[in-house]
Amino acid sequence: MKRTDTIIIGGGQAGLAMSRCLTDDGIDHVVLERGRVAERWRSERWDSLRLLSPKWHTRLPGFRYQGADRDGFMTMPEIISYFERYAQSFAAPVQDETTVLGVERAEDGYRVRTDQGDWEAPTVVVATGHSDVPFVPKAAAGLSPNVHQVVPSHYKYPDQLPQGGVLVVGASASGIQLAQEIHRSGRPVTLAVGHHIRIPRRYRGRDISWWLEASGILDERAERAFNLESARRQPSLQLVGTPDHKTIDLGVLQDEGVRLAGRVDSTDGTRIRFRDDLESNIGAAEDKLDRVLGRIDAFIGETLMAADASDRCSPIVAKEAPTELDLRDAGISSVLWATGYRRRYPWLNVPVLNIRGEIIHDEGVTPAAGLYALGLNFQRTRKSSFIDGVGDDARALAEHITRRFHRSSIAA
Ligand SMILES: Cc1cc2nc3c(=O)[nH]c(=O)nc-3n(C[C@H](O)[C@H](O)[C@H](O)COP(=O)(O)OP(=O)(O)OC[C@H]3O[C@@H](n4cnc5c(N)ncnc54)[C@H](O)[C@@H]3O)c2cc1C
């Protein structure tokens, strides 16, 4: 049995940021990672993916992008190397190839069972990722076995798919990128569009990330959210990072020949039914877009900042959408479910999960003393699950952990 003060589970950006903060505070700890540092970026992303955050917008505690291409977007090899250099910069105590199999209460905190032996510590931080397990709607089960089905974390490049058309389900960050890439590879794409958040890449002369940060939108606290549960379930922004800094939205995709449809409702063999909600989904996204851009305009007005004139995005006018398709007749051989992620904690044997299987927490502090979560969507602020946002949350948790150790050393 090995002992330390804090066990961090997961060696992605959240686990590393936490490790850096605990290192700064002199707290002994270990990071247990089932693969290698930044494993998701190595094994669960597609080949052409670039970050949607500009390079300057990847700051972590004690580390930032230092190159000249500040406004560019990192490729996957670049982001992996970035995280490797981050871990090396403070000699992060990562024990890789170590899968956590169980977390139980122990006399003095928690026992963490792994496939490389057991650990004990008074505090544990769960940093296993918000985008953990791909979520696939129940309708997928009704599809014929002849239809190839894939999720973004298993998709690498278009030629991996069987010949023929592709139905991409989901029009958030992953869905729109993959719809464009697959369509451009010569496979006709139909895109099923549900709830989504439209946002332009650039607005009034600057990258949208700059405005979201400067106007304070990214720093909005969870405690101020009108409906926090629903805010935490928001889909990712419809945003991509490409060398030309162009926006991809439903209008761009439609102009390139992608056929738009409403949300997938049900399936039966090769038949698929769509809801008649494409227009209303687009309308809801336009309203949200107007509110966000309106807040940025107001910020510019209040601060008297110099900014280009308003360049509101042109409205998206959808062509007639199918309500039903026979995939075989339509020449569609694959369905790509870009329908988001869920979290799974089958190894967490501490009663902190709610009815949906999500960790119950207040800004990362769970009801079980000494057990914390980090990297969840809107955990503390809107930016909590972003590379640039997790650092603030890690600092706050490190303070909490340090206070806890301080109190127990006074009591001893
Ligand atoms: C396709 C995609 C693109 C994204 N692009 C951006 C972007 O451009 N900018 C941005 O800011 N954010 C982006 N995000 C959001 C976010 O930054 C990533 O999801 C990021 O990977 C989250 O980091 P994390 O450390 O919280 O979790 P993860 O990166 O998921 O790390 C969790 C780690 O825990 C490990 N683990 C899991 N279970 C166990 C176990 N039982 N035992 C041991 N280890 C375990 C995993 O191997 C993994 O390495 C993107 C997300 C996705 C899905």
Side-chain angles (χ1 to χ4, degrees):
M1 174 79 68
K2 288 170 251 182
R3 287 196 61 84
T4 183
D5 288 338
T6 301
I7 296 167
I8 301 168
I9 307 174
Q13 70 212 25
L16 293 177
M18 192 70 233
S19 174
R20 169 64 203 239
C21 294
L22 293 181
T23 301
D24 290 349
D25 292 351
I27 293 188
D28 193 48
H29 66 280
V30 66
V31 181
L32 303 179
E33 164 55 52
R34 66 180 171 189
R36 290 165 294 167
V37 157
E39 187 57 42
R40 303 260 197 218
W41 301 99
R42 296 175 194 271
S43 54
E44 296 188 22
R45 311 282 194 247
W46 55 97
D47 292 357
S48 66
L49 180 64
R50 284 173 182 265
L51 288 190
L52 54 81
S53 316
K55 291 178 180 174
W56 64 265
H57 203 221
T58 55
R59 294 158 296 197
L60 289 155
F63 202 71
R64 58 175 59 222
Y65 174 77
Q66 302 276 8
D69 180 27
R70 284 173 43 79
D71 296 327
F73 304 97
M74 288 189 212
T75 60
M76 287 307 99
E78 285 172 329
I79 190 69
I80 292 163
S81 141
Y82 187 71
F83 284 126
E84 279 174 342
R85 280 182 284 121
Y86 184 43
Q88 283 157 11
S89 71
F90 60 97
V94 179
Q95 188 171 311
D96 58 13
E97 308 295 340
T98 302
T99 301
V100 169
L101 304 172
V103 176
E104 281 101 31
R105 291 220 76 135
E107 205 177 305
D108 185 20
Y110 297 92
R111 172 166 305 164
V112 177
R113 285 186 293 109
T114 85
D115 57 357
Q116 305 294 325
D118 293 357
W119 285 81
E120 251 185 31
T123 49
V124 169
V125 181
V126 176
T128 48
H130 186 81
S131 300
D132 182 15
V133 188
F135 167 72
V136 176
K138 285 201 182 84
L143 280 177
S144 152
N146 296 330
V147 177
H148 178 76
Q149 299 188 51
V150 66
V151 289
S153 53
H154 291 153
Y155 167 91
K156 294 290 170 204
Y157 51 85
D159 281 351
Q160 166 202 6
L161 302 175
Q163 281 306 316
V166 180
L167 169 67
V168 175
V169 186
S172 293
S174 300
I176 56 160
Q177 290 178 53
L178 296 178
Q180 187 180 55
E181 165 166 302
I182 295 168
H183 192 79
R184 287 183 174 179
S185 78
R187 289 169 167 76
V189 167
T190 301
L191 177 63
V193 179
H195 176 39
H196 61 278
I197 304 176
R198 184 183 180 197
I199 198 96
R201 180 73 263 174
R202 292 184 64 78
Y203 184 62
R204 300 193 65 175
R206 288 182 186 270
D207 190 274
I208 196 71
S209 306
W210 193 90
W211 289 121
L212 293 176
E213 174 172 274
S215 62
I217 293 176
L218 288 179
D219 279 316
E220 269 163 12
R221 293 293 290 260
E223 67 202 13
R224 295 201 52 211
F226 174 64
N227 180 343
L228 185 54
E229 269 236 9
S230 126
R232 284 182 169 154
R233 287 203 302 271
Q234 291 290 307
S236 59
L237 302 178
Q238 219 182 41
L239 199 59
V240 296
T242 53
D244 59 13
H245 297 253
K246 280 202 176 144
T247 297
I248 306 181
D249 59 26
L250 297 179
V252 170
L253 291 176
Q254 195 171 240
D255 288 348
E256 289 189 15
V258 171
R259 172 167 52 175
L260 305 182
R263 201 184 181 88
V264 168
D265 189 56
S266 61
T267 62
D268 181 10
T270 56
R271 296 202 74 76
I272 192 149
R273 287 183 69 82
F274 301 96
R275 288 194 201 157
D276 186 16
D277 62 359
L278 177 61
E279 265 186 42
S280 61
N281 292 338
I282 289 176
E286 300 292 313
D287 291 348
K288 200 163 252 180
L289 172 73
D290 281 348
R291 284 200 295 276
V292 173
L293 299 186
R295 286 183 64 182
I296 293 172
D297 291 342
F299 167 75
I300 293 169
E302 282 157 19
T303 55
L304 303 174
M305 270 191 74
D308 290 359
S310 180
D311 45 358
R312 286 290 163 103
C313 317
S314 39
I316 288 161
V317 182
K319 295 183 184 151
E320 201 178 328
T323 49
E324 194 165 343
L325 269 184
D326 185 286
L327 298 180
R328 205 175 19 206
D329 295 350
I332 295 176
S333 53
S334 312
V335 177
L336 192 155
W337 299 99
T339 33
Y341 294 85
R342 292 287 185 271
R343 279 112 335 260
R344 294 272 176 273
Y345 307 100
W347 38 265
L348 187 53
N349 305 315
V350 184
V352 291
L353 300 183
N354 69 15
I355 201 158
R356 290 175 185 267
E358 301 283 1
I359 294 182
I360 301 165
H361 68 91
D362 180 8
E363 302 196 339
V365 180
T366 80
L371 183 66
Y372 302 89
L374 184 62
L376 299 175
N377 214 12
F378 219 148
Q379 172 166 320
R380 198 168 145 271
T381 62
R382 250 183 223 290
K383 63 182 183 184
S384 283
S385 57
F386 298 152
I387 298 167
D388 201 79
V390 75
D392 285 354
D393 293 12
R395 281 190 201 94
L397 287 192
E399 265 177 40
H400 202 281
I401 291 171
T402 308
R403 275 201 307 274
R404 202 167 171 266
F405 281 124
H406 187 61
R407 273 202 307 273
S408 57
S409 68
I410 291 172

